[in-house]
Amino acid sequence: MTRTLQLYLAALLLALAAASPVFPAFFGLPGTRSQNKPIPGDSPLEQCDADDKQLLTIQLVNLLPNPPVRGENVTVSAAGHVKETIKEGAYVDVEVRLGYIKLLTQTYDLCEELEKNDVGGLKCPIAPGDYKIDKTVEIPQEVPPGKYTVLARAYTEDDDEITCLSGDIFFPSY
Ligand SMILES: *[C@@H]1O[C@H](CO)[C@@H](O)[C@H](O)[C@H]1NC(C)=O
């Protein structure tokens, strides 16, 4: 289950990254330092660390359907603007909780994940500019029901923040 979650998260992250590059994550964790700001569009995602300088401006994120449903496809559409080139060595720290239980804390190689998951053909280096992406992923029926809280922070190889995403997704038990 941790694995299916990881895949799901990785796909979502990639989609965002593609759209603008970066994406990291979702959902606001209570008790973290982040200042959250809504992201335009129909999704549970917010921008966290919103008062800090970030290389990626996310202009729009839509999930269809929102919220996503277990055993069904979800399409992530995102648009964003990249201010500085994102190169090999960029990484994403992802944290996932189910209720109060920490399910996953993991660092992913951003460029590697983009290659593996084909997010709109995005590849490092990602030049400055505007990006739009669409990515469809299937949410496995095996994902346990519950309220998931996701936090993702992406950084360049020099540890400059690319983006911070947070959000909550609730999967009912039926
Ligand atoms: C999800 O989309 C893929 C590709 O479009 C399709 O093959 C698959 O059957 C879809 N899955 C569901 C559960 O609708």
Side-chain angles (χ1 to χ4, degrees), residues 71-74 136-139:
E72 291 185 13
N73 283 339
V74 59
T136 299
V137 290
E138 194 171 308
I139 311 231

Side-chain angles (χ1 to χ4, degrees), residues 13-24 55-57 79-92 109-115 118-133 154-157 162-163:
L13 287 178
L14 291 176
L16 285 180
S20 16
V22 178
F23 182 92
L55 266 59
L56 170 65
T57 306
H81 178 80
V82 178
K83 284 173 218 158
E84 285 169 41
T85 305
I86 296 169
K87 293 179 279 204
E88 298 290 337
Y91 60 96
V92 185
D109 183 306
L110 182 62
C111 296
E112 216 174 273
E113 294 300 324
L114 284 175
E115 294 252 341
D118 183 22
V119 184
L122 263 197
K123 262 195 197 142
C124 294
I126 299 168
D130 293 318
Y131 291 88
K132 253 187 208 174
I133 52 129
Y155 298 94
T156 67
E157 74 282 14
I162 297 172
T163 190

